[in-house]
Amino acid sequence: MSDEKHLRRAIELSQGNAEAATGGPFGAVVVRDGMIVGEGANRVITDFDPTAHAEVVAIRAACRQLGTYDLSGAVIYTSCEPCPMCLAAILWARIDRMVYANTRADAAAIGFDDAWFYEQVALPIDGRALPAQRLLGDEARAVFQLWAQNPDKIPY
């Protein structure tokens, strides 16, 4: 029953955005130990931030609330199946489980089509639409070595 309760909160957040026209119709909540520790609605337009999707906003809020970058033990409830960026953020946050309502096909039907992004991620770097050039590998690798050898580093 709590899955439905928390997912309804994510849907409420998405509805608020849809009604106010302040961002896309997306909402998300992060729950740990049965309590909402972070929630968010899409803030792309209001924050002038293309990364401010509901899931990312909710993850950021949860991490601030808990004082950690590791959300192991948490569940994310999202009004829509996440885009590739949000899915990656969910995975990086180490969230244990995801519950969603709308599918990516539902999102595409109203103009939020993520198919191209999914396709781009799957391609080798030299086959993507975004031109990419590698430079200064030796210099950058030296910084990686510095980090790897630092006994005070905090791995994540």
Side-chain angles (χ1 to χ4, degrees), residues 147-155:
W147 185 86
Q149 295 167 4
N150 184 343
D152 297 325
K153 70 179 175 282
I154 302 171

Side-chain angles (χ1 to χ4, degrees), residues 66-101:
L66 298 173
T68 185
Y69 53 84
D70 185 340
L71 296 176
S72 295
V75 178
I76 190 163
Y77 297 87
T78 179
S79 65
C80 187
E81 181 180 359
C83 73
M85 176 187 70
C86 292
L87 177 59
I90 291 164
L91 294 169
W92 271 109
R94 309 297 194 264
I95 291 174
D96 287 3
R97 190 165 67 94
M98 176 180 71
V99 180
Y100 65 96

Side-chain angles (χ1 to χ4, degrees), residues 20-21 26 33 36 38 42 55 57 63 119 131:
F26 304 100
D33 299 325
I36 293 176
N42 181 286
E55 297 89 343
V57 172
C63 289
E119 291 167 8

Side-chain angles (χ1 to χ4, degrees), residues 11-147:
I11 293 168
E12 284 175 19
L13 292 165
S14 72
Q15 183 175 344
N17 255 20
E19 290 171 350
T22 54
F26 304 100
V29 297
V30 177
V31 174
R32 188 190 265 174
D33 299 325
M35 303 288 294
I36 293 176
V37 294
E39 62 181 32
N42 181 286
R43 297 192 50 84
V44 170
I45 294 169
T46 54
D47 288 359
F48 306 104
D49 180 353
T51 69
H53 291 196
E55 297 89 343
V56 172
V57 172
I59 289 168
R60 289 173 180 164
C63 289
R64 279 192 306 273
Q65 173 72 23
L66 298 173
T68 185
Y69 53 84
D70 185 340
L71 296 176
S72 295
V75 178
I76 190 163
Y77 297 87
T78 179
S79 65
C80 187
E81 181 180 359
C83 73
M85 176 187 70
C86 292
L87 177 59
I90 291 164
L91 294 169
W92 271 109
R94 309 297 194 264
I95 291 174
D96 287 3
R97 190 165 67 94
M98 176 180 71
V99 180
Y100 65 96
N102 288 313
T103 67
R104 59 176 132 159
D106 297 326
I110 63 163
F112 292 94
D113 191 350
D114 296 335
W116 184 79
F117 297 100
Y118 279 99
E119 291 167 8
Q120 289 296 303
V121 169
L123 292 172
I125 198 164
D126 61 352
R128 296 178 186 156
L130 177 67
Q133 178 183 11
R134 183 171 185 249
L135 295 173
L136 304 176
D138 291 338
E139 292 177 33
R141 201 169 15 267
V143 177
F144 273 14
Q145 290 303 314
L146 179 67
W147 185 86

